[in-house]
Amino acid sequence: MSEETTLTPAAERVLEVAGKLFYDNGIHAVGVEAIASEAGVTKKTLYDRFGSKDALIAHYLRRRDERWREHVIRVVEQRGRIAPARRLLLVFDALEQWIAEENPRGCAFVNAHAELPDAAHPGRDVIREQKQWLLEYLRTLAREVGVRNPRKLATSLLVLIEGANVTSTLGVVPGAVGNAKEVAKQLIESS
């Protein structure tokens, strides 16, 4: 099933249920029977709409990625005309909101990556694309700031974001995203 395909109402229910179950319980802990039952469809319907559990996993990750991207862009763009360096720091605000509202068990992409060791799994491509998009978005924002090396700054910010995401949901570092944002501010000012 391609991303451009319009999903039927039954397929939307399957995708919504699968997303919740995969995120809450882990991809391997959830079988297609449980998804179909919870969505109120047959396994045949699930397979007719998605082809395989692997394709459903990739579709779930892609849908979550779309929501994440929309969230980040909305937070960064909602403030209107502000200094480019401030726009770059708003990505950390977006992450903090996302963790509070959508990510109590950590990054769905990091979690899925740990569960999908096969590099050929279709979900792995989505995971790479998600992280690559964020890196490119940070690079674009860094260029707007006018730093000497936007690529290096974007890479450093991505590492801070990913580290803050993981450590905050583990509860190891209280205020991890805020701490990462402070380090990011120092990096931006010194770049």
Side-chain angles (χ1 to χ4, degrees):
M1 167 171 274
S2 74
E3 300 85 55
E4 297 83 35
T5 304
T6 302
L7 298 179
T8 65
E12 283 290 347
R13 277 194 318 277
V14 167
L15 186 57
E16 183 179 326
V17 166
K20 180 166 179 22
L21 292 174
F22 288 155
Y23 183 77
D24 290 348
N25 302 296
I27 290 170
H28 289 309
V30 178
V32 292
E33 276 188 34
I35 296 167
S37 175
E38 184 80 19
V41 301
T42 64
K43 282 183 6 183
K44 181 182 181 327
T45 298
L46 185 149
Y47 285 118
D48 284 349
R49 300 301 184 268
F50 294 96
S52 67
K53 182 179 176 184
D54 288 347
L56 178 58
I57 292 165
H59 211 92
Y60 145 69
L61 290 168
R62 188 160 312 284
R63 177 68 60 90
R64 191 166 178 97
D65 178 33
E66 289 167 1
R67 289 185 21 246
W68 162 247
R69 292 179 193 205
E70 289 168 4
H71 172 74
V72 170
I73 292 168
R74 184 175 51 253
V75 169
V76 170
E77 301 301 327
Q78 77 181 0
R79 304 287 168 86
R81 297 181 56 82
I82 60 173
R86 176 74 181 115
R87 286 170 40 90
L88 196 48
L89 291 172
L90 286 173
V91 176
F92 290 86
D93 295 350
L95 174 62
E96 196 160 48
Q97 289 174 9
W98 184 261
I99 289 170
E101 297 167 9
E102 302 283 339
N103 252 24
R105 288 194 64 250
C107 177
F109 301 93
V110 171
N111 296 348
H113 190 268
E115 285 199 68
L116 304 174
D118 180 2
H121 190 285
R124 293 286 293 260
D125 288 337
V126 179
I127 294 164
R128 275 188 295 278
E129 290 167 12
Q130 191 268 342
K131 301 304 179 189
Q132 189 63 45
W133 173 82
L134 185 54
L135 179 61
E136 292 303 320
Y137 188 66
L138 291 167
R139 191 175 296 152
T140 297
L141 294 173
R143 279 190 207 103
E144 291 174 9
V145 174
V147 298
R148 288 185 305 272
N149 192 338
R151 175 183 295 263
K152 182 178 179 183
L153 178 59
T155 300
S156 296
L157 295 178
L158 180 66
V159 170
L160 283 172
I161 287 167
E162 292 298 319
N165 197 358
V166 171
T167 57
S168 69
T169 55
L170 292 174
V172 174
V173 179
V177 177
N179 286 330
K181 184 177 175 181
E182 282 303 311
V183 173
K185 184 177 178 186
Q186 294 168 13
L187 282 173
I188 294 165
E189 289 170 355
S190 67
S191 292

